[in-house]
Amino acid sequence: MPRPKILLTRRWPTAVEAVLAERFDATFNIDDLPMTADAIGEALRTHDAVLPTVSDKLPASVFEGGAIRAKILGNFGVGYNHIDIAAAKANGIAVTNTPGVLTDCTADIAMLLLLSVARRGGEGERQIRADAWKGWCPTHMIGTKVSGKTVGIIGFGRIGKAFAQRCHFGVGMDVVFYNRSIVDPAEAARYGARQLPTVEDVLATADFVSLHCPGGAENRHLMNAARFAAMKPGAFLINTARGDVVDEAALVVALEAGVIRGAGLDVYEAEPHVPERLRGMENVVLLPHLGSATEETRNAMGMKVVDNITAFFEGREPPDRVA
Ligand code: DGY
């Protein structure tokens, strides 16, 4: 039996690529350049599995233009809003993701952003690197205390819970959250958190609002001009979820007008593009989508994909099938 022919759209951790090369007839992206939509469409017609990442776009149009050979998309990542799931299903293609293994690292990045923006870590670093620090004084670069403040979490899934735990038990914050479904209060209390009925209730209560919901149509521009205006004066926004959850143009206006005090962002609407006006603001901490970027987590994500496609081609149900 010939081995299934698979294609990776980007370079993956070396150890994971080695396992894939042993088990499959694998095409690697040696140059690690993002693939065009046309190239991804061609891969779907010539390979049994395509393994995309968040940096790829798979709209309905990539599934058009000829007979599709691919039977599975083994996504390297938990979020899959870059894939048109309906179009994949319509073409009989299974889709898997990598839940669980990036929970802690993504929650850590949210905490890094919260602390950095509150305590002006980015500004301080830039000042020293510019050799502009004049020395300690009582009024220098004064930030915002986080202990005792309230953080509001939108989306209480794995990452939202891990972030709540860090905020409450790590730095002594009160934690409220909004979640579409009701969470058992005893379960919420394990993370030091309390559910509120609406997004607006969270915005009215929180000194820091942190987004942990999925991207895609249902949450597109969940944070818009009206919702920035509904945040407490002087509050901060943290986004480690997906760029499209925030109306980026409205965020820029809200920051420039002082409607909110600052933002910590790991994700953007049109990555890797980050609006120049955001890049120019001192009260904004900007990271290049680092949520899952640790050696341990990226290896674990890759091995989840290995498990998913191995199960699929052995005729078993892939453990992390989402479609
Ligand atoms: C994910 O897994 O969805 C991340 O955003 C990519 O690291």
Side-chain angles (χ1 to χ4, degrees), residues 125-203:
E125 243 247 337
R126 283 190 289 279
Q127 187 175 69
I128 291 197
R129 287 182 188 276
D131 200 15
W133 183 34
K134 302 278 184 277
W136 191 94
C137 75
T139 56
H140 178 234
M141 215 169 266
I142 302 305
T144 301
K145 182 174 177 176
V146 298
S147 303
K149 297 280 168 60
T150 299
V151 62
I153 294 175
I154 309 290
F156 206 62
R158 290 185 191 83
I159 300 171
K161 287 174 181 168
F163 182 61
Q165 189 170 41
R166 282 156 175 73
C167 290
H168 184 71
F169 297 104
V171 292
M173 301 181 84
D174 289 332
V175 183
V176 294
F177 68 91
Y178 168 78
N179 193 61
R180 260 185 328 180
S181 55
I182 303 290
V183 177
D184 177 353
E187 164 77 354
R190 284 183 49 214
Y191 300 94
R194 184 167 52 91
Q195 186 162 15
L196 297 180
T198 66
V199 171
E200 276 65 28
D201 291 326
V202 169
L203 301 182

Side-chain angles (χ1 to χ4, degrees), residues 77-150:
V78 67
Y80 48 86
N81 61 311
H82 52 288
I83 301 171
D84 188 316
I85 294 292
K89 272 186 173 165
N91 282 278
I93 306 177
V95 183
T96 59
N97 71 343
T98 63
V101 292
L102 40 73
T103 303
D104 284 328
C105 288
T106 307
D108 288 344
I109 282 286
M111 182 53 80
L112 173 69
L113 287 170
L114 185 149
L115 290 170
S116 302
V117 75
R119 301 301 308 276
R120 303 175 65 175
E123 275 180 83
E125 243 247 337
R126 283 190 289 279
Q127 187 175 69
I128 291 197
R129 287 182 188 276
D131 200 15
W133 183 34
K134 302 278 184 277
W136 191 94
C137 75
T139 56
H140 178 234
M141 215 169 266
I142 302 305
T144 301
K145 182 174 177 176
V146 298
S147 303
K149 297 280 168 60
T150 299

Side-chain angles (χ1 to χ4, degrees), residues 230-298:
M231 284 169 68
K232 276 173 77 172
F236 297 85
L237 177 78
I238 310 297
N239 188 11
T240 55
R242 278 293 181 263
D244 63 359
V245 179
V246 173
D247 178 342
E248 217 163 63
L251 172 65
V252 170
V253 172
L255 285 162
E256 284 176 348
V259 173
I260 70 171
R261 183 156 174 190
L265 307 173
D266 190 42
V267 288
Y268 308 89
E269 276 205 87
E271 294 177 14
H273 170 74
V274 178
E276 196 179 340
R277 278 155 74 192
L278 268 184
R279 285 188 276 123
M281 290 179 198
E282 286 290 4
N283 54 337
V284 174
V285 179
L286 303 166
L287 295 179
H289 204 145
L290 292 182
S292 64
T294 62
E295 193 178 335
E296 296 86 342
T297 288
R298 290 283 164 87

